Amino acid sequence: MFRSNNVAARIFERQISSPAPGTSVHCARRFYENIVPSHTIFDMECPDILFRKFSDDGQYLITFSRNHQDLIVYRPTWLSFSCREQDCHDHELPSKANKFESFFTQLYTVTLASSGELICKDFFLYTEKNQFGIFATSTAQIHDAPAVGGAIQGIPSIEKITFHLVRLEDGVILDERVFCNDYINLAHSMGVFLYDDLMAIVSLRYQRIHILQIRDSGNLVDVRSIGEYCREDDELFLNSSAQCTPNPDRNRTHNIENGLDHNQHTPEAPFLGGLKQRLLSFIFRGIWNEEDDPTVRMQCLKKKFYFHFQDYADLVIWKVQFLDRHHLLIKFGSVDGGVARNTDNHPAFFAVYNMETTEIISFYQNSADELYTLFELFCDHFHSSSKNSFYMNFLSTHSNNIHALEQLRCNKNKASSLPQFVKKMLATLPINCQSQSPSPYFDHSLFRYDEKLISSTDRHRQSTDHPIKFISRRQPNILKFKIKPGPESGSADTRTKKISSFLFHPILPLAISVQQTLFLQPAVVNIHFRR
């Protein structure tokens, strides 16, 4: 069906026709082909702040002070000015347009960090239902910390990590949760996942998954802790059983007094945690059920289970995400991979865990074709969008967008090694929480762009002096708009490595590009908007 590019014709078409059931939002998003951020103000006069992101509903712009102490929240507004002459569109913008305050209104400043802590500038989670923001502060890492109190050897320690629950409407700190002498991966929210009102926090150092609930009243409430124990009463049961067990040390002391202790004392090996016990039993039962013949079954157990038993027992939790309110996707791997920046060369495994029944549902290696097929067909389920988050339900993935699927399969066909391609794709699991922008300008059904230079994923990109082009998907040769980070004339120093970050508003034709170098030079902030 022919559709006019004229916005007036589209409005008229919307008045006289009804979209197919379930497509009203997608039809409305086509208007963004006409309403694009077509104008750029270069090197804007901007406060000395660190940009984080827009909230998912577009109500707030989250920033931090340069000293990593304060949270500064802005409300996106719009440039407004009067023009007394005709053809105002052809006139230059007023001088105030170059000021950050013309587009954003500061709501408040709140000090979050205290007593040696710094704000983690890469960490921010948002609950759209209550408009709560979750922030994190922490002290410096201790890389050679001794493993005491059940800690894992080789995992760094952070003396204090504090999670702050802030009401973004007025900046009131509603609740805090403190973790002492622990290690939680806060970079890009990798160690925390938010699903509706449930929050999962992964303690790498003590191998626990803390499940918290965010109440409407603004309280953080402990729900359960998974790792050493799986059920709420496991610790009580084990402690009561230990009290009923005879103490062997009492008889050993009596034998020492009589000179009968000829063997040197060796400490008893600790029990494996509850989650590890369930994982090992699931692997054992899976291999056991593969064969019916007892002899063949025992050979398979020796080859597949007992031979690799210590490798399975040494696995540690890397990341976790909610699949729904009852199921977790847990990523396991080696201790070295848990704190490494790049985990591509480390073996990894995935397990689906039911929190209610405390059972392992499935277990995969990071090269499993079955898991990759599920990821390719049902990628939306791994994103686990909250039912209260309207805008996050329209992210373009290869399971809901034919153009993204074609690109994925093209990359798959170009790959020299299929197992390596599968590992590379599954390395993104579990997906970082709220790591993608819901902006319609990243919709693959509307626009085509170079994903090496820009994408919906919240990551720094290597900067380029050339503008990033957004081309119409329906009309492949029509350039809709361009985003150019950095100075208008380009950078004079081509040897200095520059990185860029992009903040797209989820609703408005508004974007911020920030270009910075690695030598603490002032950042170049550009704002892109529809004039």
Side-chain angles (χ1 to χ4, degrees):
M1 177 181 177
F2 174 76
R3 290 188 177 91
S4 173
N5 291 326
N6 187 287
V7 67
R10 285 187 165 181
I11 294 175
F12 181 71
E13 181 185 354
R14 184 177 64 179
Q15 289 177 331
I16 64 176
S17 63
S18 299
T23 65
S24 58
V25 175
H26 294 283
C27 291
R29 285 167 70 92
R30 294 193 187 119
F31 279 88
Y32 283 101
E33 291 180 324
N34 299 87
I35 305 172
V36 298
S38 55
H39 188 79
T40 299
I41 296 178
F42 292 93
D43 203 4
M44 170 176 283
E45 295 180 18
C46 182
D48 192 19
I49 55 178
L50 300 170
F51 291 91
R52 180 60 189 99
K53 64 183 294 187
F54 288 101
S55 60
D56 292 339
D57 58 3
Q59 294 292 318
Y60 307 98
L61 172 63
I62 306 301
T63 68
F64 305 115
S65 61
R66 279 283 176 182
N67 60 2
H68 297 81
Q69 298 290 312
D70 303 324
L71 163 68
I72 308 172
V73 176
Y74 293 88
R75 173 87 69 192
T77 53
W78 202 258
L79 176 65
S80 61
F81 62 96
S82 60
C83 180
R84 298 180 180 179
E85 303 177 14
Q86 295 180 350
D87 299 329
C88 293
H89 184 75
D90 296 331
H91 286 269
E92 293 292 331
L93 292 174
S95 58
K96 73 171 187 177
N98 197 42
K99 297 182 181 297
F100 183 80
E101 294 77 12
S102 298
F103 292 87
F104 301 94
T105 302
Q106 182 175 335
L107 298 182
Y108 52 81
T109 299
V110 177
T111 301
L112 295 181
S114 61
S115 62
E117 289 182 291
L118 297 176
I119 293 176
C120 178
K121 62 183 180 66
D122 294 329
F123 184 92
F124 166 65
L125 296 177
Y126 181 64
T127 62
E128 188 174 330
K129 176 183 177 183
N130 300 312
Q131 293 190 344
F132 293 159
I134 304 170
F135 304 90
T137 59
S138 68
T139 55
Q141 289 187 24
I142 304 173
H143 292 279
D144 54 352
V148 295
I152 302 297
Q153 184 69 39
I155 301 292
S157 177
I158 300 176
E159 183 180 355
K160 184 181 180 184
I161 304 171
T162 307
F163 292 96
H164 308 264
L165 184 66
V166 179
R167 187 168 57 206
L168 293 183
E169 181 182 5
D170 51 14
V172 175
I173 301 176
L174 301 174
D175 202 355
E176 295 180 346
R177 184 55 52 93
V178 178
F179 293 84
C180 296
N181 300 316
D182 208 332
Y183 185 83
I184 299 169
N185 196 343
L186 300 176
H188 304 288
S189 308
M190 292 180 64
V192 183
F193 199 91
L194 184 66
Y195 183 86
D196 286 340
D197 59 343
L198 295 178
M199 183 167 64
I201 301 175
V202 178
S203 165
L204 286 175
R205 185 165 170 80
Y206 293 100
Q207 288 297 288
R208 297 188 188 115
I209 304 172
H210 301 274
I211 307 297
L212 280 67
Q213 184 180 27
I214 304 173
R215 296 287 178 87
D216 292 340
S217 58
N219 299 110
L220 295 172
V221 180
D222 290 314
V223 177
R224 57 169 55 90
S225 177
I226 303 168
E228 186 178 1
Y229 310 108
C230 293
R231 297 186 185 273
E232 290 81 353
D233 58 347
D234 281 355
E235 185 175 10
L236 176 64
F237 175 78
L238 291 175
N239 290 338
S240 60
S241 300
Q243 293 177 359
C244 299
T245 304
N247 187 359
D249 290 340
R250 186 176 303 171
N251 295 331
R252 179 177 176 274
T253 303
H254 177 72
N255 292 336
I256 290 175
E257 293 175 351
N258 290 276
L260 300 176
D261 187 23
H262 300 289
N263 296 322
Q264 190 175 6
H265 176 68
T266 57
E268 184 179 358
F271 286 109
L272 292 172
L275 182 61
K276 191 67 65 67
Q277 292 272 10
R278 282 159 174 76
L279 178 63
L280 290 172
S281 63
F282 179 85
I283 298 171
F284 180 89
R285 291 197 308 269
I287 300 173
W288 178 277
N289 295 329
E290 287 180 0
E291 302 291 343
D292 294 330
D293 183 81
T295 304
V296 178
R297 175 185 291 165
M298 186 55 61
Q299 292 296 328
C300 287
L301 285 173
K302 290 180 180 179
K303 181 179 179 181
K304 297 181 179 180
F305 182 75
Y306 293 113
F307 183 77
H308 297 286
F309 177 84
Q310 194 58 47
D311 296 329
Y312 291 135
D314 291 339
L315 291 176
V316 298
I317 302 172
W318 282 0
K319 290 178 64 178
V320 68
Q321 76 165 90
F322 284 100
L323 297 176
D324 54 39
R325 294 188 67 88
H326 305 294
H327 294 87
L328 296 174
L329 176 65
I330 306 174
K331 187 175 186 178
F332 293 91
S334 63
V335 174
D336 295 335
V339 294
R341 286 181 175 269
N342 187 358
T343 61
D344 294 344
N345 298 325
H346 296 272
F349 299 86
F350 299 92
V352 178
Y353 176 76
N354 188 317
M355 294 190 297
E356 302 301 322
T357 63
T358 71
E359 294 177 340
I360 299 290
I361 305 299
S362 56
F363 183 70
Y364 304 97
Q365 195 168 356
N366 64 339
S367 58
D369 292 333
E370 181 182 357
L371 181 59
Y372 171 77
T373 302
L374 293 173
F375 179 62
E376 181 178 306
L377 298 176
F378 307 103
C379 183
D380 288 351
H381 293 269
F382 291 93
H383 282 277
S384 300
S385 296
S386 168
K387 61 183 180 182
N388 297 311
S389 180
F390 174 77
Y391 304 101
M392 300 301 290
N393 292 325
F394 298 96
L395 296 173
S396 291
T397 66
H398 43 259
S399 62
N400 64 22
N401 190 286
I402 185 63
H403 305 288
L405 180 60
E406 288 177 354
Q407 183 64 39
L408 175 71
R409 291 180 174 172
C410 179
N411 294 337
K412 182 179 179 180
N413 295 332
K414 291 180 180 178
S416 58
S417 171
L418 183 59
Q420 290 298 322
F421 175 80
V422 170
K423 285 184 178 181
K424 180 180 179 181
M425 294 304 301
L426 295 183
T428 61
L429 295 178
I431 294 174
N432 292 349
C433 186
Q434 299 182 8
S435 62
Q436 291 187 288
S437 169
S439 171
Y441 300 109
F442 292 120
D443 190 335
H444 288 284
S445 299
L446 303 178
F447 300 99
R448 181 166 51 89
Y449 48 88
D450 189 349
E451 292 198 62
K452 295 180 181 178
L453 302 177
I454 191 171
S455 74
S456 62
T457 304
D458 180 23
R459 282 289 189 274
H460 294 292
R461 305 279 174 169
Q462 185 170 350
S463 188
T464 174
D465 289 333
H466 303 287
I468 303 170
K469 299 178 180 180
F470 285 73
I471 301 173
S472 172
R473 178 68 71 175
R474 293 194 304 114
Q475 297 172 298
N477 297 323
I478 302 298
L479 174 65
K480 286 297 183 178
F481 67 98
K482 297 182 290 186
I483 296 290
K484 186 183 186 309
E488 183 176 8
S489 59
S491 176
D493 185 5
T494 58
R495 295 174 299 176
T496 303
K497 184 177 180 181
K498 298 177 290 293
I499 58 174
S500 296
S501 58
F502 304 91
L503 289 75
F504 275 73
H505 193 279
I507 307 167
L508 301 175
L510 177 68
I512 300 173
S513 63
V514 182
Q515 185 189 79
Q516 51 193 341
T517 64
L518 303 179
F519 300 102
L520 300 179
Q521 297 178 359
V524 178
V525 179
N526 299 342
I527 189 162
H528 316 268
F529 66 104
R530 175 177 172 81
R531 182 174 174 179

